Structure formats: C-alpha cells, structure tokens
Amino acid sequence: MSIENVIEVKNLEKIYRSGTHAVKGINFVVKKGEIFGMLGPNGAGKTTVLQMMGTLLKITKGDINILNHNIHTDQKFIREKIGFALQEAGLDNLVTTSELIRFHATLFGFTGTEVEKKVQESLTLLDLHEYADQMIPELSGGTQRRLDLAASLVHNPDLLILDEPTTGLDPSHRSDLWNLLRTLRKERGITMIMSTHYMEEADVLCDRIAIIDSGEIVAIDTPDNLKKSVGKDKIEFSLSEKINDSQKKSLFSEFLDGDIEYQSNKLLISVDDGETSLLPTLKKIMNIDLKVQGTKVRVPTLDDVYLKYTGKRLEGES
Ligand SMILES: Nc1ncnc2c1ncn2[C@@H]1O[C@H](COP(=O)(O)OP(=O)(O)OP(=O)(O)O)[C@@H](O)[C@H]1O
Ligand SMILES: [Mg+2]
C-alpha cells in the first residue's frame, strides 16, 4: 500500500439482490492529485462502483482502500475524507442555497461561528453569492450542479467522487465546471474520480480513463495512450487521377506496405504523428508525381477507442 494511491480497488464485485452482476471483479488505483475518469455505456456499472466507493452501497466481494484505510473497517474515516456529488443532484427543494450549505456544514460537525464561515467560503469558492437567498428550484441546472458541488466540498475532502457531474449542462456551463474542477485540484490538491458520457470531458479533463463495459474494465490508460492503441494517425490524400503502376511501385518503395491504403482516388498513409508528418509525406507523394487535390489528417479519437473496446459509439455526445 502506498500513500501515493488515494484509491485502491481490488477484485471488486457487486451482485444486486435481483441477481444482476453489475461489477465483475475490477482492479485499479487512483494516484494523489489525479482526475480519473470512468467511461462506459448505460448500465456498465459506473454508478455502482462510485456508490460502493462512497460507502453508499454494500460491496459483495473484494476491497476498496481509500487513503490507506479499508472501506470494510474504516467507514467513518473514509466518509470524512470524501465528497460525493451524485448523478441526480439530490437537492432539497424547500431551502435556499446558503441554507443547504449550512445544513451540510452542520452535518459534518461544524458548530457556532465555524458554520457561517464555511457557508461564506463555499459561496465564494463556487461563485454562488448572488444566489445565496434563492430557493433551490429557482436555480438553473448549472447553478444547481455548482451548489451540489459546494455541499460536497464543505468539509474539505481529499477525494471527490463525481457521478456524471456535467450531464444536462450546456457546453459553456460544462467547460466552466471543468475549469472549476481543475482549480480545485490545483489549489487544494483534491483527487477526483468521475463517470461521464462525454468524450470531450474524458479527453480534456481526465489524466487517465477506465473504459468499463458490462461490469468489467476493458481498457485503462491516459487518453493519449488509449488513442494510440487504436492505430496510427492517417494522412488522407485526395487525388485527381488514379494511381498508375509505376507510381504504385514508387509508393511501395517509399513507404511500408502496411502503411499504405488506397481506393480509386484516395490514398491513406499511416504515420506516427499526423501533424509533424504531413509536410514531409506530402513532399514524397508529390515527388512520385501523384496529383494531390486535398489533404486531411485523421487522428484516432476517444470515440474510436470506445468503439474498439465496447463495440458501441459514445452516447451523450451532442
Ligand atoms: N438498485 C439496483 N438494483 C438492482 N440492479 C441495479 C440497481 N442499480 C443498478 N442496477 C443494475 O446494475 C447494472 C449497472 O448499473 P449502474 O447504474 O451502475 O450503471 P451505469 O454505468 O452507472 O449506467 P448509466 O450510464 O446509465 O448511469 C445495470 O444492469 C443496472 O440495471
Ligand atoms: Mg450511472
């Protein structure tokens, strides 16, 4: 066990009483300061994993250690160290923004003047002062998400568990929230684990991603490495004339057989890095006298990764 690992998941399983085997023995670690993403289709088991991690759901088999404390024996410690923002923000409709934060502060044992200090701190942190006295149902979806986050941060957790934190938000509120999470990591060193359906979110926000399908982790790595695992970048040339036999011969002497694909007026060359290889490759193609009308660089996306490992396209993309 290492203090560098904030989360250690070992052979974790969940079988619901209905018999559904929702999580089938998964293993992973999350390091201090990481933003770790879980990407997977509906019903893959993401929420189930996060809820077990948050001590909200009983573990069937296996282990979770959080900050070197075992979830079976140290629930109290773990609850004090984590903040949890649920998939469906479970906000109370009958109170105002500041009342909700006050309630959470009290829940976590703050008393007297500490409570008011906490409320003010949270309102500032999430830029919620202007909504302090507004009833929760009057807030926009984006503001409700911020409030949910404020409530989960009241006790300065070391680990934040986020279940689809930006689902339902418009793109501008979504990127606001990403910035906020980055700031929290930078200023407070908070480690985060989150589920998402958004490819861009996983790509730009998460340091590492686990792709989970039918209760199993089918791939786990950095977004860049995952993309590399799908295949090389490809440079696509549109040609104004068909490739003749002597050009074909030159092509095969210039590039590796496996890097060349062509259909009538289209030529694809696989390269390690599309951006830096574009010009040198174009030069070679021109030297063989191929008439190029246009070029395009195709880089594998997380959607390609997702398709490769789950056989499905990502949902939730706009
Ligand atoms: N309380 C429950 N009782 C029985 N089965 C459940 C329960 N909650 C979830 N499941 C089942 O467990 C599996 C995993 O569900 P889970 O909610 O963890 O998936 P998810 O990856 O979070 O999906 P989504 O992307 O839709 O949020 C599904 O087959 C689901 O139907
Ligand atoms: Mg879910």
Side-chain angles (χ1 to χ4, degrees):
M1 251 194 271
S2 150
I3 196 73
E4 284 300 299
N5 292 343
V6 171
I7 306 172
E8 293 175 338
V9 173
K10 290 179 196 155
N11 305 317
L12 183 67
E13 281 190 55
K14 178 67 190 180
I15 303 171
Y16 282 105
R17 236 183 282 172
S18 61
T20 303
H21 204 164
V23 180
K24 298 174 182 159
I26 61 170
N27 293 280
F28 63 93
V29 301
V30 177
K31 296 200 167 67
K32 187 167 167 28
E34 257 192 323
I35 301 182
F36 186 88
M38 292 193 342
L39 202 56
N42 291 119
K46 305 178 294 294
T47 298
T48 304
V49 171
L50 295 180
Q51 289 194 340
M52 288 193 281
M53 202 167 276
T55 74
L56 301 174
L57 190 65
K58 203 170 167 285
I59 292 172
T60 308
K61 227 170 155 185
D63 243 324
I64 302 177
N65 290 317
I66 291 179
L67 297 159
N68 283 346
H69 285 67
N70 186 273
I71 202 152
H72 296 292
T73 53
D74 291 325
Q75 281 214 359
K76 186 173 176 294
F77 172 90
I78 288 172
R79 283 198 181 140
E80 285 167 5
K81 297 292 179 191
I82 61 177
F84 203 131
L86 293 163
Q87 186 164 2
E88 304 292 336
L91 299 172
D92 194 327
N93 285 336
L94 298 171
V95 298
T96 65
T97 296
S98 53
E99 280 166 352
L100 185 90
I101 300 173
R102 196 169 295 127
F103 171 72
H104 274 261
T106 316
L107 208 64
F108 276 101
F110 293 97
T111 53
T113 54
E114 279 177 339
V115 176
E116 232 24 63
K117 210 177 130 213
K118 271 286 150 193
V119 172
Q120 293 309 316
E121 238 179 62
S122 302
L123 291 174
T124 305
L125 181 68
L126 287 134
D127 201 14
L128 286 166
H129 276 290
E130 61 180 300
Y131 309 104
D133 298 321
Q134 240 171 307
M135 299 296 285
I136 291 173
E138 296 168 12
L139 306 173
S140 73
T143 310
Q144 288 192 8
R145 285 284 173 173
R146 288 219 304 278
L147 173 55
D148 191 31
L149 207 54
S152 63
L153 285 166
V154 156
H155 56 297
N156 284 329
D158 292 304
L159 170 65
L160 199 52
I161 301 174
L162 304 154
D163 199 2
E164 295 188 33
T166 65
T167 294
L169 297 190
D170 61 44
S172 96
H173 280 120
R174 188 174 299 152
S175 62
D176 284 351
L177 201 97
W178 295 343
N179 285 333
L180 182 75
L181 295 176
R182 288 192 190 104
T183 308
L184 280 173
R185 186 239 309 255
K186 196 165 153 217
E187 289 178 0
R188 297 191 177 191
I190 301 183
T191 305
M192 298 177 204
I193 181 165
M194 63 188 293
S195 68
T196 180
H197 279 281
Y198 298 109
M199 174 169 79
E200 194 192 352
E201 182 159 285
D203 208 351
V204 305
L205 187 63
C206 297
D207 302 305
R208 283 191 306 132
I209 301 167
I211 297 180
I212 167 164
D213 194 18
S214 304
E216 289 175 291
I217 291 179
V218 291
I220 184 166
D221 213 327
T222 63
D224 277 348
N225 285 342
L226 285 173
K227 286 184 251 178
K228 282 203 185 96
S229 77
V230 176
K232 293 167 125 185
D233 293 359
K234 287 180 181 176
I235 304 177
E236 178 185 312
F237 298 98
S238 308
L239 307 173
S240 53
E241 287 167 14
K242 278 196 174 161
I243 306 173
N244 65 37
D245 285 343
S246 89
Q247 289 169 329
K248 241 173 244 175
K249 217 170 139 196
S250 315
L251 260 182
F252 281 97
S253 67
E254 198 69 64
F255 302 99
L256 294 172
D257 289 12
D259 288 344
I260 309 171
E261 289 168 66
Y262 59 90
Q263 309 125 4
S264 57
N265 288 3
K266 213 162 253 172
L267 170 68
L268 292 171
I269 304 288
S270 299
V271 294
D272 287 326
D273 181 347
E275 213 172 301
T276 56
S277 305
L278 176 60
L279 278 180
T281 310
L282 178 64
K283 228 173 179 173
K284 285 183 190 172
I285 298 292
M286 308 274 271
N287 279 343
I288 339 181
D289 238 7
L290 287 167
K291 302 278 176 297
V292 177
Q293 276 184 324
T295 59
K296 221 190 277 175
V297 177
R298 291 197 205 162
V299 180
T301 63
L302 268 190
D303 198 29
D304 299 322
V305 175
Y306 192 82
L307 181 67
K308 170 176 168 173
Y309 291 106
T310 69
K312 302 178 188 86
R313 287 274 170 203
L314 266 167
E315 298 147 43
E317 278 300 302
S318 46

